């Protein structure tokens, strides 16, 4: 801790201002000695703002609400650091100064502790200090049976429903699906966490076993949520606002984003519905992840490993398909919102069923989904298929043809990987493929690194990050050197991407003679892992995206949809000799078509001794389509068929610490203030009533003789 932070909590301080704003936290009368200067003043109440925090927010669905919230002005409590069970007893029963805001390290952030705090009226909030490495035993605040409600394929079959056969996420404690009446924030180990601990140690620890004396260090957490109860209620309130208010203030929004898709052969985006003579192999994966805290969901194993693999596979196919295209098309799809009852995939299936997509379900030849693949043990991967649809003899034969493990093993580039199948009676793991199977039996498989329960010990948590995937670098490397350093994880994922690309090519009717020419590039994989998990604002990403996107690159990645769109466009598209203006409006140019292609003006690499890249135009069959649950178009806010998840709106997210005086001192201050007010009123009344006497000037009239 530096000197300025140490000075922050000394009892004799002067106000320090940064850009005109106070940055200290005492409210007291004090003397402040400075070298050569004496000063005394009465400070106003001053806070220390905590700017690097992440809140838990409120979500709602068809039946209930989950998450956290504070009162309108924020919840305040005396700070107490939870280190042992004794500290928990202090908060729940023996502490003399409730309510408390509990500061805990990640190892105490578990279901047992949180449910005890949830049941106490003595708790005003919780702040969790996140360590770099996750708990050794694992941590997953998600359900043990993900997407078991509206998204589940097996909801109609009790023998397969509700994880009766396989508990996919055995470490899941469902903490993310609880409803807490107090705010919960996270912050990472660092300066702010040190400042909070010092405030606690300086002010909230008693001497020789005695109770701590005032003033005490307190924390205020503000995260008031506007929406309550369920999605139907909040959408009804939105509707009332839109109908009767000139300036409507909505209380919630449907969870929505965009799916990204591309194809080997361009598909006419102006035509919708069935495409005669077209047979398409769908290669699918998911883009989204979540954790307990808002806007902090790295999703290394749960999402990034899968979509990086599919992106690398698309890039590997490009060189071969230009000269030796397969007989069938391949549609690469990246779904958003899959964590919340398969928002993206259910929307695509809905559009296919209703003639709103470029193909329909009849055009689907088969489907290959890339699930969690970054943590394969001893190089073992698993091909999962659906036991229900395999009861159909034609589907069963198609599935057998596409899931013969010997064929997949034949396409493995080296001896690092091997492919096997679980028992045929085991249901599919949670996957987007389930939404397609709910519409009709389709041949397909899901490729994962787990036979039954997830290998991922941090599923849908903030510890599912680069470090967990062993995306690490030798010490001393610069950011640019880290970007180029090929990690072991990148090498193995490149092997998986090669396997996927070759399998897709053969499944689409490509010739075996060309399989050996399909190879994913480990360097490209390592650059993607660095960009999506470590630092998105890097030279490689900046060269692939538009200047407008460059402005929003940062750490952590907050816009994976747009980044995946641009990366996929660069991997599957071609360079066009167009100006920036022509690239934005190519419809009048010969040989160009916005119905078949999207056009992207990208910044390009920045030359040495320059600050701006030499931009160029990329033409690619890459599109964005809505990942917005059909329930909101159909106004079926209590639907059991489609996702109904919404997110509450809020006005302010804020965390800060300060010192509070004792109740007696507060009452004394109030009493003195009231007494001063009454005395001033009496004096004012007296002066006003005697104003003529007190303020009149009588002058004697005298005559002057000349």
């Amino acid at each position: 801790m530096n000197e300025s932070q140490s000075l922050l909590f000394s009892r004799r301080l002067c106000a320090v201002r940064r850009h005109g704003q106070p940055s200290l936290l005492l409210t007291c009368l004090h003397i402040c000695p400075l070298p050569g200067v004496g000063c005394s003043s009465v400070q106003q109440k001053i806070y220390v703002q905590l700017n690097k925090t992440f809140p838990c927010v409120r979500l709602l669905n068809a039946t209930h609400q989950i998450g956290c919230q504070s009162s309108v002005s924020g919840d305040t409590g005396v700070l107490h650091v939870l280190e042992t069970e004794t500290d928990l007893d202090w908060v729940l029963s023996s502490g003399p100064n409730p309510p408390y805001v509990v500061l805990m390290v990640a190892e105490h952030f578990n279901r047992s502790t949180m449910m005890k705090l949830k049941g106490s009226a003595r708790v005003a909030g919780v702040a969790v200090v996140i360590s770099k490495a996750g708990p050794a035993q694992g941590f997953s605040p998600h359900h043990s049976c993900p997407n078991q409600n509206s998204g589940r394929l097996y909801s109609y079959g009790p023998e397969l429903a509700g994880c009766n056969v396989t508990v996919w996420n055995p470490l899941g404690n469902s903490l993310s699906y609880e409803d807490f009446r107090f705010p919960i924030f996270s912050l990472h180990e660092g300066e702010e966490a040190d400042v909070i601990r010092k405030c606690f140690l300086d002010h909230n620890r008693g001497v020789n076993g005695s109770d701590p004396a005032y003033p005490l260090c307190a924390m205020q957490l503000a995260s008031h949520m506007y929406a309550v109860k369920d999605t139907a209620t909040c959408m009804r309130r939105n509707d009332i606002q839109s109908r009767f208010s000139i300036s409507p203030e909505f209380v919630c929004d449907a969870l929505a984003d965009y799916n990204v898709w591309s194809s080997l052969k361009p598909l006419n985006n102006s035509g919708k519905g069935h495409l005669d003579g077209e047979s398409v192999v769908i290669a699918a994966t998911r883009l989204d992840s979540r954790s307990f805290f808002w806007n902090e969901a790295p999703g290394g194993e749960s999402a990034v490993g899968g979509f990086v693999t599919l992106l690398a596979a698309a890039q590997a196919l490009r060189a071969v398909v230009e000269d030796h295209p397969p007989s069938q098309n391949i549609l690469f799809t990246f779904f958003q919102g899959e964590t919340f009852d398969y928002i993206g995939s259910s929307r695509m299936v809905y559009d296919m069923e209703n003639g709103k997509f470029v193909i329909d379900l009849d055009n689907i030849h088969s489907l290959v989904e890339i699930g969690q693949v970054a943590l394969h043990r001893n190089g073992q991967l698993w091909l999962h298929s659906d036991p229900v649809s395999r009861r159909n003899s034609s589907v069963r034969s198609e599935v057998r043809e596409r899931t013969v493990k010997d064929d997949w093993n034949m396409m493995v580039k080296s001896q690092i990987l091997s492919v096997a199948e679980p028992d045929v009676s085991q249901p599919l793991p949670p996957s987007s493929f389930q939404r397609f199977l709910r519409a009709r039996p389709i041949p397909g498989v899901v490729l994962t690194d787990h036979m039954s329960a997830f290998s991922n010990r941090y599923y849908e948590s903030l510890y599912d990050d680069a470090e967990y995937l062993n995306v690490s670098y030798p010490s001393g490397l610069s950011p640019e050197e880290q970007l180029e350093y090929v990690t072991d994880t990148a090498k193995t994922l490149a092997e998986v991407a090669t396997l996927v690309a070759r399998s897709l090519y053969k499944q689409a009717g490509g010739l075996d003679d060309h399989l050996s020419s399909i190879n994913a590039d480990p360097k490209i994989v390592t650059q993607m892992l660095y960009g999506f998990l470590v630092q998105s604002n890097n030279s490689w990403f900046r060269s692939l995206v538009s200047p407008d996107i460059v402005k929003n690159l940062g750490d952590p990645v907050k816009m994976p949809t747009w980044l995946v769109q641009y990366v996929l466009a660069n991997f599957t598209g071609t360079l066009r000799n167009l100006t920036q203006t022509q690239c934005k409006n190519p419809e009048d140019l010969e040989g160009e078509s916005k119905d078949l292609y999207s056009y992207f003006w990208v910044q390009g690499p920045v030359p040495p001794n320059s600050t701006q890249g030499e931009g160029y135009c990329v033409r690619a069959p890459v599109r964005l389509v809505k990942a917005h649950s059909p329930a909101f178009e159909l106004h079926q806010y209590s639907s059991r068929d489609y996702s109904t998840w919404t997110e509450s709106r809020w006005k302010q997210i804020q965390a800060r610490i300060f010192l509070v005086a004792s109740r007696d001192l507060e009452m004394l201050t109030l009493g003195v203030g009231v007494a001063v007010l009454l005395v001033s009123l009496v004096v004012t009344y007296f002066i006003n009533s005697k104003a003529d006497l007190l303020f009149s000037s009588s002058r004697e009239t005298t005559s002057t003789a000349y």
Side-chain angles (χ1 to χ4, degrees):
M1 181 174 297
N2 59 38
E3 183 179 355
S4 62
Q5 292 169 331
S6 299
L7 287 173
L8 190 63
F9 296 103
S10 66
R11 293 175 180 269
R12 302 170 65 83
L13 297 171
C14 281
V16 176
R17 294 178 179 269
R18 298 173 183 169
H19 307 293
Q21 296 298 320
S23 65
L24 301 182
L25 84 157
L26 286 176
T27 302
C28 58
L29 177 65
H30 60 274
I31 305 298
C32 175
L34 287 176
V37 179
C39 63
S40 62
S41 64
V42 178
Q43 294 288 347
Q44 294 182 347
K45 185 176 291 184
I46 304 176
Y47 300 90
V48 172
Q49 297 292 144
L50 305 173
N51 298 316
K52 297 179 181 179
T53 58
F54 299 87
C56 160
V57 301
R58 173 169 289 170
L59 302 175
L60 309 96
N61 65 7
T63 57
H64 61 289
Q65 65 186 27
I66 64 172
C68 320
Q69 84 147 1
S70 73
S71 59
V72 175
S73 58
D75 291 344
T76 301
V78 173
L79 183 66
H80 193 78
V81 177
L82 180 61
E83 296 175 337
T84 65
E85 286 296 323
T86 305
D87 295 319
L88 188 60
D89 293 337
W90 178 276
V91 171
L92 298 178
S93 58
S94 61
N97 304 302
Y100 289 96
V101 170
V102 180
L103 180 74
M104 65 172 67
V105 294
E107 65 183 81
H108 295 303
F109 184 59
N110 53 54
R111 184 173 183 85
S112 174
T113 300
M114 292 305 299
M115 296 310 289
K116 290 177 182 178
L117 296 176
K118 179 181 178 180
S120 173
R122 292 166 54 91
V123 178
V126 174
V128 184
V129 180
I130 305 301
S131 57
K132 191 173 183 181
Q137 70 274 18
F139 174 75
S140 174
H142 205 68
H143 285 314
S144 60
C145 189
N147 284 356
Q148 61 182 321
N149 297 317
S150 65
R152 295 293 294 175
L153 167 65
Y154 305 110
S155 57
Y156 55 79
E159 72 281 2
L160 297 175
C163 294
N164 287 338
V165 175
T166 303
V167 178
W168 297 106
N169 185 33
L171 293 175
N173 59 30
S174 300
L175 200 58
S176 290
Y177 293 85
E178 292 291 337
D179 182 30
F180 292 93
R181 60 171 181 78
F182 49 76
I184 304 175
F185 280 57
S186 74
L187 67 158
H188 289 266
E189 285 286 3
E191 291 185 359
E192 289 190 341
D194 292 340
V195 166
I196 297 171
R197 289 192 181 104
K198 179 169 176 56
C199 184
F200 170 77
L201 293 174
D202 287 350
H203 298 285
N204 292 14
R205 280 211 166 171
V207 179
N208 297 324
S210 63
D211 291 340
Y214 285 96
L216 298 175
C217 183
M219 178 178 282
Q220 183 183 57
L221 303 175
S223 59
H224 179 66
M225 301 287 136
Y226 292 158
V228 295
K229 192 178 179 182
D230 53 36
T231 289
T233 301
C234 82
M235 295 304 292
R236 182 173 64 250
R237 292 178 178 177
N238 283 355
D239 185 58
I240 292 173
Q241 284 285 324
S242 62
R243 289 172 181 266
F244 301 108
S245 176
I246 298 176
S247 301
E249 294 186 3
F250 297 141
V251 297
C252 70
D253 300 287
L255 293 183
D257 204 306
Y258 290 92
N259 296 328
V260 184
W261 67 266
S262 180
S263 56
L264 286 184
K265 305 170 188 176
L267 297 171
N268 192 329
N269 195 51
S270 63
K272 306 296 182 183
H274 184 70
L275 199 58
D276 291 335
E278 190 73 35
S279 180
V280 175
V281 176
I282 292 182
T285 191
R286 57 181 279 194
L287 287 177
D288 64 294
S289 182
R290 71 166 300 198
S291 78
F292 187 87
F293 299 102
W294 179 77
N295 210 23
E296 192 173 27
E301 159 76 338
S302 60
V304 176
F307 72 69
V308 163
T309 297
L310 189 55
L311 286 169
Q315 192 272 341
L317 283 167
R318 176 180 176 179
V320 174
V321 299
E322 288 179 353
D323 298 325
H324 308 285
S327 58
Q328 294 165 329
N329 208 346
I330 299 177
L331 185 74
F332 302 99
T333 57
F334 300 80
F335 294 122
Q336 269 284 11
E338 298 303 272
T339 303
F340 297 97
D341 293 336
Y342 307 119
I343 294 174
S345 55
S346 65
R347 179 58 193 235
M348 182 170 284
V349 171
Y350 174 82
D351 287 344
M352 286 182 176
E353 290 178 316
N354 290 276
K356 297 180 180 181
F357 193 63
V358 293
I359 61 171
D360 65 6
L361 294 171
D362 290 330
N363 292 121
I364 298 176
H365 172 266
S366 55
L367 188 149
V368 175
E369 180 172 351
I370 314 304
Q372 300 181 85
V373 293
L375 293 176
H376 42 80
R377 297 167 182 165
N378 302 318
Q380 183 69 65
L381 295 172
W382 298 88
L383 284 173
H384 300 263
S385 57
D386 170 43
V388 175
S389 59
R390 288 175 69 160
R391 295 170 186 168
N392 181 306
S393 58
S394 61
V395 172
R396 182 170 61 251
S397 62
E398 289 283 338
V399 170
R400 291 302 306 165
E401 182 180 342
R402 285 154 182 69
T403 63
V404 174
K405 62 182 179 182
D406 293 337
D407 288 348
W408 281 73
N409 283 315
M410 181 188 68
M411 287 177 278
V412 172
K413 180 180 177 181
S414 68
Q415 300 302 315
I416 296 176
L417 301 177
S418 62
V419 182
E421 296 177 77
D423 189 280
V424 294
S425 63
Q426 179 175 278
L428 278 174
S431 54
S432 306
F433 187 27
Q434 293 191 20
R435 290 303 310 192
F436 287 85
L437 290 174
R438 286 190 66 171
R440 66 176 59 185
I442 294 173
V445 294
V446 179
L447 181 68
T448 73
D449 56 18
H450 55 89
M451 181 182 71
S452 52
F454 295 160
S455 301
N456 189 355
R457 292 184 291 113
Y458 302 112
Y459 183 73
E460 304 294 20
S461 83
L462 47 79
Y463 297 113
D464 186 11
D465 56 9
E467 182 169 333
Y468 182 49
L469 293 190
N470 197 29
V471 179
S472 56
Y473 308 92
S475 60
L477 294 185
S478 67
E480 198 64 28
E481 290 170 333
Q482 290 179 351
L483 175 65
E484 301 293 328
Y485 181 82
V486 179
T487 63
D488 291 339
T489 302
K491 293 175 184 177
T492 56
L493 275 183
E495 293 282 348
V496 178
T498 297
L499 170 64
V500 170
R502 292 178 179 181
S503 300
L504 289 172
Y505 184 73
K506 183 175 182 180
Q507 198 161 316
L511 300 178
D512 291 353
D513 296 343
H514 307 301
L515 291 177
S516 60
S517 301
I518 302 174
N519 297 288
D521 187 349
K523 183 178 178 181
I524 286 178
V525 174
T526 207
Q527 289 173 322
M528 286 192 286
L529 290 174
Y530 181 84
F532 286 112
L533 289 175
V534 181
Q535 176 57 263
S536 65
N537 190 7
N538 61 72
S539 60
W540 188 65
F541 268 8
R542 289 195 297 268
S543 70
L544 298 181
V545 302
S546 71
D548 292 337
I549 300 294
V550 169
K551 299 174 184 177
N552 296 311
L553 293 178
D555 178 26
V557 177
K558 295 182 174 64
M559 44 195 308
T561 301
W562 303 97
L563 287 175
V564 167
Q565 180 195 25
Y566 274 88
V567 171
L568 186 61
N570 281 272
F571 284 177
T572 62
T574 57
L575 301 184
R576 307 299 293 173
N577 187 22
L578 302 176
T579 66
Q580 186 171 0
T581 301
Q582 291 173 329
C583 192
K584 291 182 178 179
N585 300 285
E587 53 269 3
D588 296 330
L589 301 176
E590 184 178 353
E592 307 297 344
S593 171
K594 294 194 77 171
D595 290 335
L596 295 177
Y597 301 99
S598 295
Y599 292 79
F600 305 88
W601 183 261
V602 302
Q603 179 167 280
V606 177
N609 302 320
S610 178
T611 58
Q612 190 170 359
E614 298 176 358
Y616 55 86
C617 185
V618 175
R619 184 184 77 177
V622 177
R623 304 283 181 180
L624 295 180
V625 291
K626 288 190 297 184
H628 187 247
S629 174
F632 296 95
E633 279 194 9
L634 301 171
H635 301 286
Q636 297 176 359
Y637 305 131
S638 299
S639 173
R640 300 292 295 177
D641 295 321
Y642 298 110
S643 172
T644 56
W645 285 104
T646 54
E647 181 180 77
S648 175
R649 290 193 179 187
W650 58 83
K651 184 176 182 179
Q652 184 181 40
I653 299 293
Q654 179 179 258
R656 55 189 183 179
I657 56 175
F658 57 98
L659 296 185
V660 292
S662 68
R663 184 72 174 172
D664 293 341
L665 181 57
E666 288 178 344
M667 296 307 297
L668 176 61
T669 303
L670 177 62
V672 171
V674 172
V676 171
L677 175 63
L678 294 176
V679 170
S680 64
L681 290 175
V682 171
V683 171
T684 301
Y685 174 78
F686 174 77
I687 292 174
N688 186 61
S689 64
K690 302 297 182 179
D692 292 341
L693 180 61
L694 294 174
F695 300 110
S696 63
S697 59
S698 56
R699 292 184 302 173
E700 244 180 75
T701 305
T702 59
S703 57
T704 304
Y706 293 93

